[in-house]
Amino acid sequence: AQSVTQLDSQVPVFEEAPVELRCNYSSSVSVYLFWYVQYPNQGLQLLLKYLSGSTLVKGINGFEAEFNKSQTSFHLRKPSVHISDTAEYFCAVSDTGGGNKLTFGTGTQLKVEL
Amino acid sequence: GAGVSQTPSNKVTEKGKYVELRCDPISGHTALYWYRQSLGQGPEFLIYFQGTGAADDSGLPNDRFFAVRPEGSVSTLKIQRTERGDSAVYLCASSLGAGSNTEAFFGQGTRLTVV
């Protein structure tokens, strides 16, 4: 079984400032890692994913995340946020053994202010 | 449309009633997933189909919940004898295959309110 912890339920940040959204996971097996974004009144959209290879993963909208196996973390970062980045962000994991069953964290609400 | 479609977008029902929630996946996607998102929580896995068969239904909370996908395309999530605790947003997703490295595309969800 896997679990995902997103310690920050809300992160306020000013426009053009950098941001980091934290994600830690726990699993007894190898996992794939994902970040999804949910804009108001929209479905979940995949931002980026780590499957294998380079631990630094780049996604859409200028976001990137780094997989750290020793710290079991997959923090999401953006060097300069925009008002349009205001949304709920979910970290998720799935078992590499098969199936696309995702285990999600509780989400982090990113609020970008002027 | 090109995305995953869920109907209705909102459903209000009385405690004890039966409800059906529908999901139209992206054409050609063989895998289909149902998740439930309660207020303030992340989505929780309910069931996933590969083709017409339920490959994993370990997330269904009890026998009041049932899902079908008779022709390998549209799926219906059925909830009997609804309870107030069933109130949540029910999300459907589909992917080309069931491998963990295939991207799952989500619908906008059905918000179920049991009064």
Side-chain angles (χ1 to χ4, degrees):
Chain A
Q2 299 100 35
S3 66
V4 177
T5 302
Q6 293 181 249
L7 287 172
D8 306 307
S9 59
Q10 293 187 17
V11 173
V13 62
F14 288 109
E15 193 174 34
E16 298 184 5
V19 70
E20 179 180 84
L21 306 184
R22 297 181 293 168
C23 172
N24 288 85
Y25 70 92
S26 173
S27 178
S28 57
V29 298
S30 297
V31 296
Y32 295 136
L33 295 147
F34 306 82
W35 275 99
Y36 281 84
V37 60
Q38 189 172 35
Y39 298 104
N41 300 316
Q42 294 188 28
L44 288 163
Q45 180 182 1
L46 182 66
L47 263 183
L48 48 78
K49 61 185 176 185
Y50 172 78
L51 303 180
S52 65
S54 172
T55 57
L56 182 62
V57 180
K58 294 190 182 296
I60 61 172
N61 301 341
F63 283 93
E64 64 181 31
E66 185 152 21
F67 170 54
N68 187 319
K69 189 173 182 179
S70 63
Q71 296 187 3
T72 60
S73 68
F74 191 54
H75 301 331
L76 181 71
R77 302 185 183 99
K78 186 169 182 177
S80 176
V81 295
H82 190 266
I83 286 284
S84 61
D85 293 323
T86 295
E88 186 93 19
Y89 291 79
F90 292 94
C91 181
V93 303
S94 71
D95 181 353
T96 62
N100 206 349
K101 174 179 163 181
L102 295 164
T103 300
F104 286 87
T106 52
T108 297
Q109 176 66 42
L110 176 65
K111 185 173 181 183
V112 181
E113 302 168 350
L114 291 171
Chain B
V4 177
S5 176
Q6 292 188 247
T7 53
S9 55
N10 280 283
K11 175 72 176 178
V12 181
T13 190
E14 293 181 347
K15 179 176 176 293
K17 298 290 188 182
Y18 167 84
V19 295
E20 289 189 352
L21 311 179
R22 177 187 168 105
C23 173
D24 280 88
I26 293 172
S27 178
H29 280 195
T30 60
L32 183 146
Y33 312 83
W34 284 99
Y35 289 83
R36 178 169 71 173
Q37 187 174 13
S38 300
L39 193 63
Q41 301 296 315
E44 292 179 300
F45 171 80
L46 295 176
I47 184 171
Y48 104 83
F49 291 87
Q50 179 58 37
T52 60
D56 184 345
D57 65 357
S58 61
L60 294 177
N62 51 60
D63 62 6
R64 295 187 297 106
F65 288 75
F66 190 72
V68 296
R69 195 186 185 200
E71 297 178 357
S73 178
V74 171
S75 176
T76 305
L77 179 66
K78 307 180 181 195
I79 310 174
Q80 298 178 321
R81 305 182 304 280
T82 52
E83 300 177 356
R84 292 199 177 87
D86 298 334
S87 296
V89 176
Y90 289 81
L91 299 171
C92 177
S94 69
S95 61
L96 266 176
S100 301
N101 58 351
T102 56
E103 181 176 349
F105 294 84
F106 283 80
Q108 294 187 28
T110 293
R111 182 176 298 278
L112 175 66
T113 304
V114 182
V115 297

